[in-house]
Amino acid sequence: MFKKFSWGHGIVVALASFIAFILFMILIFPEGQQNSELVSDDYYQDELSYQTVIDSKKNADLLAEKPSFQQSPAGIKILFPETLTPENGKVNFELYRTDDSNLDVKKELSLDAAHAILIPAKVISKGSYTLKIKWQQDKKPYQVDYDVLWN
């Protein structure tokens, strides 16, 4: 069988294999890709103002007690210690979803009587989030980040 196989046949087989590989990459491979989008539309301005985020996280690292969170079937509950009193009782939080910005949740809410905020489960989709909690106290900004896996 291989007696009639010449170098010309080898070139034809190599080119056919290469063309099949290229067609696979063009037609089949893009079906498995996820959408890719920018993290932020104003990424340049965000980068210029990132020093405030660094300062906020450094301020939060110096605190004896930090806000925490608990997951329950009702949602994600952000708990503030009694020692922390945000200005006007207002807290900004952001559930940041890296793979789809349409699933981000951003709000500014007031603490309830138990020094807590509840993010309802109905606004959270299954997946991985970064929970960013931001507040001000004594005219100083604070920020704490947590990784959250919502099932």
Side-chain angles (χ1 to χ4, degrees), residues 34-40 94-106 124-132 145-150:
Q34 294 181 346
N35 61 346
S36 60
E37 54 188 44
L38 292 174
V39 172
S40 170
E94 178 180 350
L95 273 173
Y96 173 72
R97 182 80 176 252
T98 55
D99 60 347
D100 190 357
S101 63
N102 295 325
L103 299 176
D104 288 354
V105 179
K106 299 177 186 179
I124 308 170
S125 297
K126 186 177 181 180
S128 178
Y129 288 91
T130 300
L131 174 61
K132 299 179 180 183
D145 294 352
Y146 297 107
D147 291 329
V148 177
L149 182 61
W150 183 256

Side-chain angles (χ1 to χ4, degrees), residues 17-33:
S17 299
F18 180 72
I19 290 171
F21 173 73
I22 295 298
L23 288 175
F24 171 77
M25 294 297 284
I26 291 172
L27 300 175
I28 307 298
F29 186 67
E31 298 298 321
Q33 289 183 335

Side-chain angles (χ1 to χ4, degrees), residues 73-142:
I76 298 173
K77 190 174 208 173
I78 301 171
L79 305 165
F80 267 76
E82 294 291 328
T83 57
L84 292 180
T85 54
E87 291 176 4
N88 302 327
K90 300 276 187 189
V91 175
N92 288 316
F93 72 87
E94 178 180 350
L95 273 173
Y96 173 72
R97 182 80 176 252
T98 55
D99 60 347
D100 190 357
S101 63
N102 295 325
L103 299 176
D104 288 354
V105 179
K106 299 177 186 179
K107 285 274 189 189
E108 178 182 64
L109 295 174
S110 298
L111 294 174
D112 61 10
H115 264 57
I117 295 173
L118 179 66
I119 305 169
K122 65 182 178 183
V123 299
I124 308 170
S125 297
K126 186 177 181 180
S128 178
Y129 288 91
T130 300
L131 174 61
K132 299 179 180 183
I133 306 170
K134 304 173 188 177
W135 73 98
Q136 286 201 351
Q137 184 175 345
D138 300 327
K139 302 206 186 304
K140 286 174 66 175
Y142 294 88

Side-chain angles (χ1 to χ4, degrees), residues 49-62 135 140-143:
S49 63
Y50 194 70
Q51 186 61 41
T52 58
V53 173
I54 294 170
D55 294 339
S56 300
K57 288 182 179 182
K58 189 181 288 185
N59 291 339
D61 285 341
L62 298 175
W135 73 98
K140 286 174 66 175
Y142 294 88
Q143 179 174 338

